[in-house]
Amino acid sequence: MLSQVSDMPSDGDSRSWTSAPIRTLSALGALLFCFAILPRCRTSAKQVDESTELPGIERILEEQRRVQHLPGLAFAIVEDDRVIYSRALGLRDVEHNLPVTPDTLFPIGSCTKAFTSMAIALGQDRGLLTLDDHPRKFLPYFRMADPEADANVTLRDMLSHRTGLKAKADLAAEPGVLNREEYVQAATSAKPTAKFRAAFQYSNAMFSAAGEIVAKANRSTWERVIEAEIFDPLGMHSSVTSTERALTVKNHATGYVYESSALTFRAVPPPRSLEAMAPAGNIASTARDMTQWLRVLTGSGRIDGRRFLSESMFHELTTPVIPINSSISYALGWATYEWNGLRVVEHNGGSEGISALVSFIPERRIGFVFLANTSPNFMTQIGNAGKLFYPLILYADGQARQPTNDVERRPSPAGTSSGETATSATTSDAPTVDALLQRMLDAAGGEAGFRRHTSTEIHARKTYDNQGVIADLTVQEMAPAMRNEVEAWTAAGKQIGRVRVYFNGVGGGQETTFGQDATNDAAANIQARREDAFHELLDLKSLYKNVTVRGSSKVGAEDTWVVELTPAQGSSSRLHVSQSTGLILQRESEGQTLTFADYRDVDGERVPFLTTINDPLGETTIAVDSVRFNVAIPEAAFRVNKETPVR
């Protein structure tokens, strides 16, 4: 299945489907940025002598490599413009038993963003652009759906993730078909999910647009600017601006996903979407090269006694612009938080097979880099590695005193989930389960009409509103529980890919034109047998272990009864049934809410012609063009089609 990215602070990638009358697809885990809260302490202590071996750090690295299942890693510390510690552990290539070295090339994921913001800062130092420039000054095609954002957005907004675009809305880049300009056009013009400048929402698209601005301002490409203006002057001679090109270097790290069920590592290539999103996450570098990067960062823009970046622009890059939560803020390409009375500046990066972290404390002129060839993990969540390493680096005894004057941080009260509007107890006037199920069936057309239909073919237009992607959707269903669903994706006026989801009554999976074929596991097949049942409304009591009326709620202005469906295995879902019509207005399941409207009569059955989906992809609308019952569909349509893949 397409890997699903959840909002922060979750760091991992999951592979799950949620079911609905018409399913929704999940998006690629492109470039993760995740946070953990660190305690604040205010104290000072003796600094470790730079000749110390720092055995505590060695112990932590070995322990984390074992616990987090890291095939290999590289780690280095810079202090006072010098490398004081460097270690390479484990394997860069498990199959061939090849070790990691300080010169092993690792993708650094979203740590790339700081290089893009640095290129912007260098451009302002040279009079090529300013942080307050509108992107249309350089990109005439740049348009945003929100009129306020479209009129007022600046480079500063783009680099601080406060434009209102949905976090990680990268579906248009996933198939690897669009070039960078096309991806920027599709993703930045998508419907926003927050008011302009009101919220932090992590946007790879805006950093990709910023990279295109770097290119236009320098009359070059983003890649050449990064190489000529940052890599070459800093002596980062092994670093490259393409993870695909990194694979051609002999000493590169193969990316892995740990398969816990088999206790093995599965090799994975870098996501093909990174080429379109390069300014947001496509750099690959070595621990040795990254210490050069750390030298200029810990020197606040100076290296080897010379100024690489003006003091004022370094201050701009590292000064918080917008809060992320109560402890962490975002600057321009960097997260910032306070630890032990010191300001830490940090960024992580990751996707399948990629994890990295760069952290530094400008006041103490110290920082570290952590690179690993596996998916994001505990060590690459913002704050975690700093909490482990900074006490050992900065304090002689490896300890920091507990806060004395700070107010203790307490977690926020648990809130009610966005879809949870129903009361938990059955109200006195609620109908019985049997009575409500009968009313739902009658409202939808009646048992006789349902039994008369044994297959369906639906054609619809599916719009991923917050992603800039439109799909032509065809759904074929056949009793007792078979389904074939095909989406043909378009973005920036170009066909970018096709996705097929199928279930033949026993097993199913997914086929794509962009290398993400998958087969359902046992749990997914059980769920599909239940939720793909052609006559689900007729068979709710046999499909689910418990069917319960759970009080009342509202969908919009309409009063509804809430029906809870509890399966023998898996998570419960809820139906919101109109108290006036008996029609299902909404379905809630784990991570997804579907709202149904525009019911029409088709051959005696009431069918919703408009479905709105809210899930990790944001808001998606499905507008049905046609519904036909009792269509002849060959059983082969519901089987795996590896010999003739979707094109």
Side-chain angles (χ1 to χ4, degrees):
M1 304 303 172
L2 295 179
S3 54
Q4 178 182 13
V5 176
S6 57
D7 291 337
M8 296 172 286
S10 175
D11 205 11
D13 117 357
S14 63
R15 295 180 174 269
S16 62
W17 279 91
T18 47
S19 182
I22 299 178
R23 287 190 204 268
T24 179
L25 295 174
S26 316
L28 170 74
L31 304 165
L32 308 182
F33 191 77
C34 319
F35 305 100
I37 297 175
L38 281 177
R40 294 170 57 196
C41 307
R42 299 182 186 276
T43 184
S44 61
K46 182 179 178 182
Q47 188 174 349
V48 176
D49 184 85
E50 62 189 42
S51 63
T52 301
E53 286 296 317
L54 301 179
I57 288 180
E58 189 96 11
R59 174 184 55 78
I60 289 171
L61 292 173
E62 288 286 7
E63 180 182 21
Q64 290 299 317
R65 188 164 71 91
R66 175 179 57 82
V67 172
Q68 303 299 326
H69 304 291
L70 311 178
L73 66 87
F75 180 84
I77 303 170
V78 166
E79 182 180 28
D80 291 331
D81 205 26
R82 296 186 302 277
V83 180
I84 65 167
Y85 184 88
S86 179
R87 288 294 183 274
L89 303 173
L91 301 176
R92 64 177 177 86
D93 186 323
V94 173
E95 181 183 1
H96 298 98
N97 200 38
L98 300 176
V100 175
T101 75
D103 296 307
T104 297
L105 202 57
F106 287 83
I108 66 170
S110 279
C111 294
T112 299
K113 288 180 171 66
F115 287 84
T116 297
S117 63
M118 177 67 81
I120 295 283
L122 290 169
Q124 179 157 331
D125 272 350
R126 294 165 190 170
L128 300 177
L129 49 73
T130 77
L131 288 169
D132 296 315
D133 282 339
H134 193 288
R136 260 196 303 276
K137 179 178 178 180
F138 304 94
L139 309 178
Y141 60 80
F142 188 98
R143 292 290 184 276
M144 297 189 69
D146 174 17
E148 181 185 3
D150 187 59
N152 299 305
V153 67
T154 66
L155 276 163
R156 192 185 306 275
D157 298 314
M158 298 163 71
L159 297 179
S160 58
H161 302 296
R162 60 176 188 174
T163 64
L165 288 187
K166 177 175 169 52
K168 308 183 188 78
D170 303 321
L171 194 63
E174 172 58 21
V177 172
L178 298 183
N179 62 33
R180 199 166 303 153
E181 179 177 320
E182 292 166 338
Y183 161 64
V184 167
Q185 284 183 275
T188 60
S189 63
K191 181 179 177 181
T193 57
K195 184 174 172 57
F196 178 56
R197 293 180 180 165
F200 172 86
Q201 297 194 146
Y202 193 74
S203 174
N204 293 311
M206 281 300 176
F207 264 83
S208 298
E212 288 293 272
I213 290 169
V214 165
K216 296 295 184 182
N218 286 272
R219 302 191 179 201
S220 185
T221 64
W222 172 82
E223 287 83 354
R224 289 173 186 157
V225 172
I226 297 300
E227 292 162 1
E229 304 299 330
I230 299 178
F231 289 172
D232 289 348
L234 296 183
M236 300 177 67
H237 301 307
S238 297
S239 301
V240 295
T241 53
S242 166
T243 52
E244 285 191 6
R245 191 164 54 147
L247 299 179
T248 67
V249 176
K250 184 176 181 180
N251 188 6
H252 76 270
T254 299
Y256 293 97
V257 172
Y258 181 69
E259 302 282 9
S260 57
S261 59
L263 304 179
T264 58
F265 292 103
R266 172 171 56 87
V268 292
R272 65 173 69 186
S273 59
L274 290 182
E275 292 301 313
M277 298 191 295
N282 208 27
I283 286 176
S285 189
T286 69
R288 193 184 305 278
D289 273 12
M290 291 298 284
T291 60
Q292 294 296 101
W293 179 233
L294 275 171
R295 286 177 65 205
V296 79
L297 296 173
T298 56
S300 297
R302 294 181 65 87
I303 186 171
D304 291 327
R306 61 183 171 86
R307 183 148 291 283
F308 176 77
L309 180 71
S310 69
E311 185 176 0
S312 63
M313 288 311 299
F314 185 84
H315 179 74
E316 290 270 17
L317 292 181
T318 57
T319 297
V321 175
I322 188 167
I324 297 166
N325 57 32
S326 61
S327 297
I328 306 172
S329 296
Y330 204 84
L332 304 179
W334 292 103
T336 69
Y337 60 87
E338 186 181 89
W339 175 82
N340 198 33
L342 300 170
R343 182 169 57 95
V344 180
V345 183
E346 202 163 275
H347 212 291
N348 60 4
S351 183
E352 277 199 331
I354 300 170
S355 56
L357 182 77
V358 177
S359 179
F360 66 102
I361 301 176
E363 180 182 344
R364 299 299 292 266
R365 299 191 66 198
I366 196 161
F368 64 83
V369 59
F370 175 91
L371 307 173
N373 56 338
T374 190
S375 301
N377 52 77
F378 173 85
M379 292 294 285
T380 54
Q381 291 182 31
I382 293 296
N384 285 354
K387 184 178 181 179
L388 292 174
F389 292 134
Y390 281 129
L392 297 172
I393 299 169
L394 292 172
Y395 301 98
D397 58 2
Q399 300 293 322
R401 292 200 299 270
Q402 293 301 310
T404 55
N405 298 320
D406 288 356
V407 177
E408 181 183 358
R409 296 188 184 275
R410 292 183 172 86
S412 301
T416 303
S417 65
S418 59
E420 186 87 13
T421 57
T423 57
S424 58
T426 304
T427 60
S428 59
D429 60 343
T432 65
V433 170
D434 288 340
L436 185 55
L437 291 182
Q438 185 61 53
R439 189 174 180 207
M440 292 161 60
L441 185 58
D442 291 342
E447 181 174 354
F450 269 60
R451 297 292 186 198
R452 191 160 51 83
H453 298 151
T454 57
S455 67
T456 312
E457 185 170 280
I458 300 170
H459 293 277
R461 172 61 62 92
K462 186 172 184 178
T463 304
Y464 293 92
D465 299 304
N466 307 128
Q467 303 282 343
V469 175
I470 297 172
D472 288 325
L473 173 66
T474 300
V475 180
Q476 296 172 309
E477 299 172 300
M478 190 162 69
M482 290 183 278
R483 185 181 183 93
N484 180 49
E485 177 177 329
V486 177
E487 294 188 19
W489 290 357
T490 301
K494 179 183 288 189
Q495 292 184 356
I496 62 173
R498 290 168 68 89
V499 177
R500 174 181 178 240
V501 180
Y502 62 93
F503 184 69
N504 63 12
V506 177
Q510 172 181 286
E511 296 173 345
T512 77
T513 55
F514 43 91
Q516 292 199 21
D517 292 5
T519 302
N520 287 353
D521 60 17
N525 282 329
I526 290 171
Q527 180 179 345
R529 276 194 294 275
R530 182 173 65 244
E531 297 182 352
D532 287 344
F534 188 79
H535 294 127
E536 183 188 22
L537 189 56
L538 285 172
D539 303 324
L540 284 175
K541 292 186 74 173
S542 61
L543 291 169
Y544 291 88
K545 182 178 180 181
N546 291 305
V547 179
T548 312
V549 179
R550 292 291 187 188
S552 61
S553 69
K554 282 186 177 290
V555 173
E558 192 158 355
D559 291 324
T560 66
W561 298 117
V562 180
V563 180
E564 184 170 61
L565 308 175
T566 305
Q569 299 180 42
S571 301
S572 296
S573 58
R574 289 186 172 189
L575 304 178
H576 293 254
V577 181
S578 170
Q579 292 187 18
S580 62
T581 68
L583 294 171
I584 298 172
L585 301 185
Q586 197 170 81
R587 181 171 190 152
E588 295 175 304
S589 55
E590 191 173 18
Q592 183 186 68
T593 299
L594 298 99
T595 303
F596 309 107
D598 190 18
Y599 274 87
R600 303 181 192 178
D601 186 280
V602 180
D603 194 18
E605 193 168 319
R606 297 284 286 170
V607 178
F609 269 59
L610 180 65
T611 301
T612 303
I613 304 168
N614 284 281
D615 65 5
L617 286 175
E619 184 175 279
T620 302
T621 56
I622 300 173
V624 173
D625 295 321
S626 66
V627 178
R628 292 193 302 151
F629 287 111
N630 294 334
V631 177
I633 305 172
E635 288 195 15
F638 305 99
R639 298 172 186 162
V640 64
N641 195 24
K642 288 183 178 178
E643 290 76 17
T644 55
V646 179
R647 295 295 181 192

